């Protein structure tokens, strides 16, 4: 696996979208073991909390969501210096 941010970040995005859209919510939530997301102004941290949120919010049909993620060329909000941006623990 390539650890360079230019490869790792898009791969993470694609992996999340693929797992979520396939109904593998546990697998998608596992990507947040050491992360968090912001939902309706609340910081949700860790796999179990995110999985619980999705279990309440996501409607499924035959165990899959009725929506699909569309992932295209992503852009980076930081200068293209070849180095990853500093970690922002407060979200965007």
């Amino acid at each position: 696996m390539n650890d360079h941010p230019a490869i790792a970040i898009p791969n993470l995005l694609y992996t999340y979208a693929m797992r979520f859209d396939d109904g593998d919510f546990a697998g998608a939530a596992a990507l947040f073991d050491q992360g968090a997301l912001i939902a309706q102004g609340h910081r949700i941290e860790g796999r179990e909390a995110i999985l619980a949120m999705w279990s309440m919010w996501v409607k499924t049909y035959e165990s899959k969501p009725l929506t699909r993620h569309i992932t295209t060329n992503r852009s980076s909000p930081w200068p293209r210096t070849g180095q990853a941006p500093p970690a922002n623990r407060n979200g965007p």
Side-chain angles (χ1 to χ4, degrees):
M1 178 175 268
N2 191 324
D3 290 333
H4 190 279
I7 302 298
I9 292 170
N11 283 346
L12 179 62
L13 292 170
Y14 304 145
T15 300
Y16 160 79
M18 186 171 39
R19 289 180 183 180
F20 193 96
D21 292 344
D22 285 343
D24 180 8
F25 299 118
L31 300 172
F32 292 91
D33 274 344
Q34 297 179 18
L37 55 83
I38 306 295
Q40 296 186 345
H42 299 281
R43 184 180 177 87
I44 314 292
E45 293 190 60
R47 175 195 309 215
E48 295 304 320
I50 291 169
L51 187 55
M53 178 193 66
W54 287 337
S55 295
M56 290 186 307
W57 290 2
V58 179
K59 294 184 184 199
T60 60
Y61 178 75
E62 296 181 0
S63 301
K64 293 187 179 185
L66 297 176
T67 59
R68 301 295 287 174
H69 285 81
I70 305 298
T71 310
T72 61
N73 296 342
R74 56 104 189 128
S75 63
S76 302
W78 59 85
R80 296 178 191 261
T81 62
Q83 297 191 5
N88 181 352
R89 300 287 298 162
N90 297 321

